[in-house]
Each structure stands twice: as structure tokens, then as C-alpha cells.
Amino acid sequence: PFPGNINQLVLELDPYEAQLQKTGGAIAEFVNPKYADAKRTTFKTPTRLECMMQDYPKSLSPEARVGFTSMEVWAAYSPVKNSPAEARSKESAGCPSHSATSGELDIYAANSRLMRMRGARVDGPKRQIYNGLSVDQFPCIVWSPSFAVTWSQLSSHVTCENGVRISKNSVLVMDGLDISLQGLRLDGALVVRAVAGARVQIKRLTVKNAGWSWKPVDENDNELPEVIRIRGFQIVKTETTELVFDKPGDYLLEDEDEWEEED
């Protein structure tokens, strides 16, 4: 089933339902052949009739209000739709690989950039090669939807008032509705999880450990699961500092003894 990607549209239901009644859900069809080579004489896959859901606005009346939001690529678009071989071909042609490798690492890059926009000092990237693809690898910074989905939510949780520094080899995972990141010195792997009702304030926390590493793998090694092979790497979790707050309450993380002020 891999790789695959999904598209998403946001529609107002009332006018959408009215349009469905009018058109029966039919969208204009087209043919989009995929060729195997530059001569364009051999199909790579069987060609079929297709319809694009983004063509839905074309079926609306001239007076319909239709708009779009344009965003920078790093913040909005990194599909996972090409096999490793197809991804290498895309990259050699100077195009984005749009692979499982780039899809995951682009999340790290986007989140690192967002953290920098909030005032954090995030090191990296470092240049790595996975599945023959040359990629920029930023620190692995991820958070759950309960932590933040929008910029305003992220801003309320990540204040950096005491300074946040994250080394290029670090991992930061934040999973919880009410985690506040004010001050952190991270060189390694840190996972913070908080149940609903647990209010965690990371005021001044220093974490240093052996962390995690990204080990390149052979895409043809059938001993490995496909989800690993299409990425081109396996995550080795050598050492992790995991802070789990499984009961509601107020928690303050502050280690004055090891804290280093910003330069």
C-alpha cells in the first residue's frame, strides 16, 4: 500500500450539498498519461480517466465566491507519493523527491523552523543520505495535536522566555494539552507526556543523554518492514529522558544547579 498521500479540501456543507443535488457529484474528467521515458511513447502505468476534486469550483456558478490561500512550501506541502527509485529519479532531475524519506524529514524541518520563529535556538541541519537521497536533517522536533495545531496554540505553549537551545542531534517530543516550554537546554532525547488536567511548566530544564540515531538501511532488505525500507532509515533509541505526568495537577520543572544562561 506504500507510498500514498491524501488531498484535503475544506468545504461549507450547505452550498456543497446544493451543488451535489445539481450535478449529481459529477466532475469533468480528463486523461493524465504517465510515460516511462522522455520519448513519451511507452506508458509507465495504464492510463485512465481521472477527475480532480480541486476542479469542483469549476462546476459552480459565475457568481460563486471561491478563494484560495497560498502558503510557502515548507509549511504546507510535502506529499509522500514516490517510491525510492522514483524519488531518486525526481531528485536527479532537480525536482523534489516527494518520498517517505523527505516527507518525514520535512516535518522535522518545519517544526524546527517554527521553534526558531518562537525564539528557540535550534541547531542544524546536517546533510544525510537515505535511500540514495541527499536530505537536510534537522533535530527531530514533534508534537501531538493536543499540544498544538495552529500557530496561536504553539505560541501559547512555546514562550522561550528563559531561552531554549536544541542541539542538531536532539529529539524533542511534546504530547499534552497544557505543556508550557519556557526554558530548555537539550542535547539528546526528551519526551514529555501529560494527561488532560496535568499542567506542566518547563521553566529551566537541562537534558543531556546519548539520544537517538538515524541508521541508514538497505531498501532491498526484505527482513525489514516496508515502512522502514521506504524511509531509508531506522531510528535507534539509545537513551531517552521521558517525563510522564499521568495525573492531573501542577508540575514545575526547574533545575537551577545545572542551568546555563543564554550567551
Side-chain angles (χ1 to χ4, degrees):
F2 303 107
N5 70 306
I6 59 172
N7 297 312
Q8 299 176 8
L9 291 181
V10 179
L11 302 171
E12 188 176 354
L13 290 180
D14 287 343
Y16 180 54
E17 192 274 337
Q19 192 66 15
L20 287 177
Q21 293 295 333
K22 177 182 175 182
T23 65
I27 297 292
E29 297 169 327
F30 73 106
V31 175
N32 184 21
K34 302 290 196 308
Y35 295 101
D37 51 38
K39 294 181 180 180
R40 300 168 70 89
T41 57
T42 304
F43 293 126
K44 183 169 67 173
T45 56
T47 300
R48 62 192 186 277
L49 285 174
E50 300 180 32
C51 59
M52 295 191 296
M53 61 184 185
Q54 55 263 44
D55 279 350
Y56 163 74
K58 294 181 180 179
S59 69
L60 301 176
S61 61
E63 62 272 10
R65 297 180 62 188
V66 177
F68 68 92
T69 299
S70 179
M71 302 178 68
E72 293 187 49
V73 172
W74 70 267
Y77 188 71
S78 183
V80 175
K81 63 179 183 178
N82 292 322
S83 68
E86 291 170 331
R88 288 190 292 272
S89 177
K90 294 286 186 181
E91 184 180 79
S92 65
C95 301
S97 66
H98 290 165
S99 62
T101 306
S102 63
E104 181 156 340
L105 297 188
D106 282 349
I107 290 291
Y108 305 162
N111 289 348
S112 293
R113 185 164 181 167
L114 290 169
M115 290 289 286
R116 287 174 175 173
M117 291 168 65
R118 290 300 306 140
R121 220 163 86 185
V122 181
D123 293 342
K126 56 185 179 182
R127 202 70 175 166
Q128 299 289 96
I129 296 180
Y130 302 115
N131 275 350
L133 300 169
S134 182
V135 292
D136 284 333
Q137 184 167 350
F138 283 79
C140 173
I141 301 175
V142 295
W143 49 75
S144 66
S146 63
F147 179 79
V149 175
T150 66
W151 171 251
S152 61
Q153 290 172 339
L154 182 67
S155 299
S156 67
H157 288 294
V158 181
T159 63
C160 298
E161 58 199 62
N162 294 321
V164 171
R165 293 204 309 253
I166 301 173
S167 72
K168 64 182 180 180
N169 296 315
S170 288
V171 174
L172 175 60
V173 179
M174 293 177 287
D175 178 17
L177 186 63
D178 204 350
I179 300 172
S180 174
L181 182 58
Q182 301 172 8
L184 177 66
R185 306 289 183 265
L186 176 59
D187 185 15
L190 171 64
V191 177
V192 183
R193 303 189 189 279
V195 300
R199 293 171 294 276
V200 181
Q201 183 181 357
I202 305 175
K203 189 173 183 180
R204 292 183 179 87
L205 179 64
T206 301
V207 175
K208 184 176 178 63
N209 56 46
W212 302 358
S213 59
W214 273 246
K215 176 185 176 183
V217 301
D218 182 355
E219 67 182 279
N220 298 311
D221 184 356
N222 291 325
E223 296 296 318
L224 295 172
E226 187 176 10
V227 293
I228 298 296
R229 290 187 282 118
I230 63 172
R231 286 176 168 88
F233 57 78
Q234 191 166 25
I235 300 176
V236 179
K237 300 179 181 181
T238 304
E239 186 179 7
T240 308
T241 297
E242 187 166 8
L243 305 177
V244 178
F245 303 91
D246 54 6
K247 295 180 181 179
D250 294 304
Y251 302 91
L252 176 64
L253 303 179
E254 185 172 23
D255 51 8
E256 293 284 2
D257 294 338
E258 299 183 32
W259 186 255
E260 295 181 1
E261 295 294 343
E262 290 276 31
D263 298 336

